[in-house]
Amino acid sequence: MNLRFADEHDAAACLAIYAQYIDTSITFETALPSEVEFAGRIRSYGAVYPWLIAEEEGKILAYAYAPVSYTHRAQERAAYDWNAELSVYVSKNAAGRGLGTRLYRALLALLKEQGVRTAYGVVTMPNDASAALHQKLGFGLLGTYHNTGYKNGR
């Protein structure tokens, strides 16, 4: 297993993993972005915070990143620059192998080196695997949004 920084050439493989979640409540995005748009995300997010890839024998199995704060309206102020919200996506055929844990640990270490003081993990429930990952890594419950994030009228 190899962890490395992502680049725009990884967009198709990362998008294929993300596509496994687009029809779920795991992401609040309602339509799958294009490969060009996804490459742009890797480029723009990766210019500020790390976007990491877990791969095996050249095949991307998972990725983790921290979207930059100005991409989220609730945290667009400069004082939030010391915070990072984390995301991790694991290919469903590679789930349960500890890839999320390895990626998060590496990402958190790199963010600490960059001066990030607080990292947040947002978990849409029910999602036992993600909740367990965050608990294992010492994340605590900050709060719960109820009746949030409707997709396709539901």
Side-chain angles (χ1 to χ4, degrees), residues 5-65:
F5 292 105
D7 66 38
E8 294 175 51
H9 298 97
D10 298 316
C14 289
L15 190 58
I17 293 169
Y18 190 63
Q20 297 173 19
Y21 297 93
I22 198 72
D23 291 329
T24 72
S25 61
I26 302 303
T27 176
F28 281 13
E29 199 153 17
T30 57
L32 191 65
S34 70
E35 186 177 330
V36 170
E37 183 180 347
F38 218 73
R41 291 179 189 184
I42 292 172
R43 182 180 57 254
S44 65
Y45 297 175
V48 179
Y49 294 135
W51 183 308
L52 300 177
I53 297 287
E55 67 181 356
E56 189 171 72
E57 298 177 8
K59 181 173 174 62
I60 295 174
L61 302 176
Y63 64 93
Y65 65 98

Side-chain angles (χ1 to χ4, degrees), residues 61-77:
L61 302 176
Y63 64 93
Y65 65 98
V68 292
S69 63
Y70 60 80
T71 64
H72 292 79
R73 286 181 298 190
Q75 294 189 355
E76 65 186 7
R77 304 282 191 268

Side-chain angles (χ1 to χ4, degrees), residues 79-143:
Y80 286 108
D81 287 350
W82 306 106
N83 301 341
E85 181 183 312
L86 311 181
S87 289
V88 61
Y89 291 91
V90 178
S91 176
K92 291 185 178 185
N93 64 4
R97 296 179 48 189
L99 299 175
T101 300
R102 287 190 64 194
L103 282 165
Y104 254 30
R105 283 186 175 144
L107 183 58
L108 287 165
L110 290 167
L111 290 169
K112 184 176 181 180
E113 289 295 319
Q114 287 184 264
V116 170
R117 296 182 181 189
T118 305
Y120 301 97
V122 178
V123 180
T124 304
M125 299 304 283
N127 187 341
D128 294 340
S130 186
L133 167 68
H134 288 87
Q135 185 176 18
K136 176 171 48 172
L137 294 176
F139 286 81
L141 181 63
L142 178 63

